[in-house]
Amino acid sequence: KKAGAGPLSELEAHVPTIKAAMEGIHHAESSYEKAQLARVLRLETMVDIRKTCDDAEAIIPAEYWTLATYKELLFIDMHSTYDEEVVVTKK
């Protein structure tokens, strides 16, 4: 909202869909039914919603995102540094 750009109304329109899917998972009686519903949410529902998220991420500057961008998550290990002298190996 702060950025004043991007597909905000489309993103907001997806929230009830995700909430309903999560509610269905939590109220499912068996682990198998929960797994089936989670699969649909992850591999069908979220795939459809991802297009809107990708569009928003392409338009809105990263400093306005409250979460890491997909690119940051994908390459997080390339942004991390560690001191090799601190690493201790067991012998």
Side-chain angles (χ1 to χ4, degrees):
K1 290 181 181 182
K2 276 185 176 179
L8 181 60
S9 62
E10 290 89 346
L11 288 168
E12 289 175 335
H14 291 303
V15 172
T17 302
I18 297 169
K19 284 184 175 182
M22 292 298 294
E23 179 121 353
I25 292 167
H26 290 297
H27 287 84
E29 301 223 359
S30 70
S31 294
Y32 181 73
E33 185 181 358
K34 289 177 188 282
Q36 287 179 311
L37 293 170
R39 182 201 173 281
V40 170
L41 174 61
R42 170 63 182 91
L43 298 177
E44 296 175 24
T45 308
M46 293 306 293
V47 168
D48 294 338
I49 293 171
R50 169 127 189 239
K51 169 76 172 96
T52 306
C53 294
D54 288 345
D55 291 346
E57 193 172 288
I59 295 167
I60 299 170
E63 68 257 18
Y64 290 109
W65 285 89
T66 57
L67 301 171
T69 64
Y70 180 73
K71 183 178 179 182
E72 289 168 340
L73 291 173
L74 187 61
F75 297 107
I76 198 163
D77 62 328
M78 297 177 85
H79 298 289
S80 300
T81 59
Y82 68 93
D83 186 347
E84 290 183 22
E85 293 177 9
V86 175
V87 176
V88 178
T89 57
K90 291 184 178 181
K91 292 184 180 186

